[in-house]
Amino acid sequence: MMWLLSYRPEIEDDVCAAALWYDDKRPGLGDEFIAEYVSAIHRIQDNPLLFAIAKNGLRPCRLKRFSYIIHFRVDRSDILIVALMGGGRDDSSFIHRNG
């Protein structure tokens, strides 16, 4: 099945903020973060149904190397990336994006 991938407009800010934070810790680490983010997006697009639905109604995909989670929704053949959040953050900060 071909999955159509789309993003909430806030995702770009989420990714940039995280990459900048990691670059402040060590130059180049932000690029490594972005590479891991892109890898996770490919895992999601390859088989989004592999990820269980959480209590908030979204599917979480943890980045392997960084403490971040991509939250997304699947509707028929569409995948909507809703948020990229630090693993310890409360999902109430982005749940309004689910609409």
Side-chain angles (χ1 to χ4, degrees):
M1 169 181 263
M2 286 293 290
W3 298 96
L4 178 63
L5 187 64
S6 60
Y7 300 83
R8 290 281 309 188
E10 302 91 345
I11 294 300
E12 185 175 348
D13 291 337
D14 294 346
V15 174
C16 288
L20 287 172
W21 188 87
Y22 279 113
D23 257 345
D24 280 346
K25 301 301 171 204
R26 180 173 56 91
L29 192 57
D31 291 335
E32 294 174 32
F33 172 80
I34 289 173
E36 176 59 34
Y37 168 78
V38 170
S39 176
I41 292 294
H42 287 278
R43 287 195 328 265
I44 291 168
Q45 196 166 22
D46 286 347
N47 193 352
L49 301 180
L50 241 138
F51 301 88
I53 299 171
K55 288 189 285 186
N56 64 13
L58 299 173
R59 296 170 187 266
C61 172
R62 293 187 178 278
L63 273 61
K64 291 182 178 178
R65 185 173 160 210
F66 296 90
S67 181
Y68 272 78
I69 302 170
I70 299 170
H71 299 272
F72 66 98
R73 180 172 38 140
V74 176
D75 183 27
R76 293 182 215 145
S77 63
D78 297 333
I79 302 167
L80 175 64
I81 306 298
V82 175
L84 171 72
M85 302 298 287
R89 296 225 15 220
D90 180 9
D91 65 3
S92 65
S93 62
F94 68 84
I95 203 65
H96 66 280
R97 296 183 190 181
N98 199 12

